[in-house]
Amino acid sequence: MVHRPTIHDVAREAGVAVKTVSRVINGERAVSDAMRARVRAAIRTLDYRPNAAARVLRRKVSRSIGYVCVDIAEPVQARLARAIATVAHDHDSALTVSLTGNDPDRERAVIESLLARQVDGLVLWPTGTGSRFLLRLADSLPVVCVDRPIEGVETDTVLCDNHRGAEQAVRLLADRGHRRIAFVGDPPELFTQRERLAGYRDGLAAAGIEADPKIIFQRVQQAGPLRRQLDHWRASPAPPTALLAASSLSAMAVARALRAAEPLAVVGFDDFPLADLVHGGLTVVGQDVDGMGRAAAETLFARLAGDGGGRLRIRVAPELIIRG
C-alpha cells in the first residue's frame, strides 16, 4: 500500500508544529511569511494533499458550491454555468454564480462573500492574476479553474485544447487554398489567446506558410477599430484572404465589421448565438462547453468526497463546426 503523506509528515519536513501547518493550509494569517514558505516547500516536496472531505466535515457543510466567472452574458461562461448547475443538482447541491468583470479586486471580494456563506468549493473562471489570497484559498478550499489557470497557484484546471482548435482552423483554411490567413484576437496577455496564437502559427507552419506579424491584430475587439484595421489590410499589397477570429467576442466584432459582400473567409473560435446566420453561416471551432463544465464540477465533487490525488489539468478537445 502506498503511504500518503500526512500533516504530521509535513510538520516534520518543515520543522514546525502541526498547528502551524494547519494554519497555513487553512489560510490563517497568524503565520510569518518565512514560516509559510517553509510549510509550502514541504507540501510541494511531499506532494501532500489535504483531505478535502475532512476539511468540509470540520466546518458546517452548506451543500452549495460557487461558480465565479467574468461575465455571465458571454456565451461560453453562461453555458458553463448551466452544465455546472446540472452536476450540482445531481449531487444535491445548490449553485451560486458571482461575477468579477475580470477585475482581480472584485474577484477577491466576491470569493470572500462566497466563503462567508460557507460554500463547499468553487469553480473559478479566474482573472489569471495570482495573489497570496488565492494561494491561501487553494490550500484551504477545493477549487477547480476553468478556461485558464492562475499564474503561480496550483489548482485542478479544466481547459479547452486551444492550441489544437486554432491549428485545425488554420489547416482547414489552408486546405481550401488560402495562403494569407490573418489572426484577430483578444489582448495577448490572456492565457487562451497565447495558446490559440501558438496553434495558429503551428497551423501555418504545417501548411508551409510563413507567419506574417502584420496580419495579426490583438486587442479588446470593437467594430470601429477592427473595421479600420480591415480597411488597412484591404489596401495593402498582399491582403489576407482568410481570417481566424480567436474568440466569440472577436468573431462577433468581425461579423459586425465585415462588408455585406466581403470575400474574406472567416473561422471563429467559440460558437455564439446566430453564428449559423452570419454571412451565410460562420464556421467555428466549437468548444465542448458542456463537457468542460461537467468535468470541472465532477472534479470538484470528487475532491469534496475525499479524492486527494495530484492536481489535474484536463484538456477537452474542441470540434470544427463547418458552415457556409
Side-chain angles (χ1 to χ4, degrees), residues 30-42:
V31 183
S32 70
D33 288 345
M35 194 71 74
R36 193 181 302 278
R38 282 168 59 185
V39 172
R40 290 190 185 283

Side-chain angles (χ1 to χ4, degrees), residues 162-164 166-167 170 183 191-205 218:
N162 295 292
H163 185 284
R164 177 180 176 181
E167 185 175 14
V170 170
F183 181 96
F191 171 83
T192 52
Q193 294 300 297
R194 293 197 301 269
E195 290 208 322
R196 292 171 191 176
L197 182 60
Y200 160 83
R201 287 175 168 150
D202 286 349
L204 292 176
Q218 290 184 279

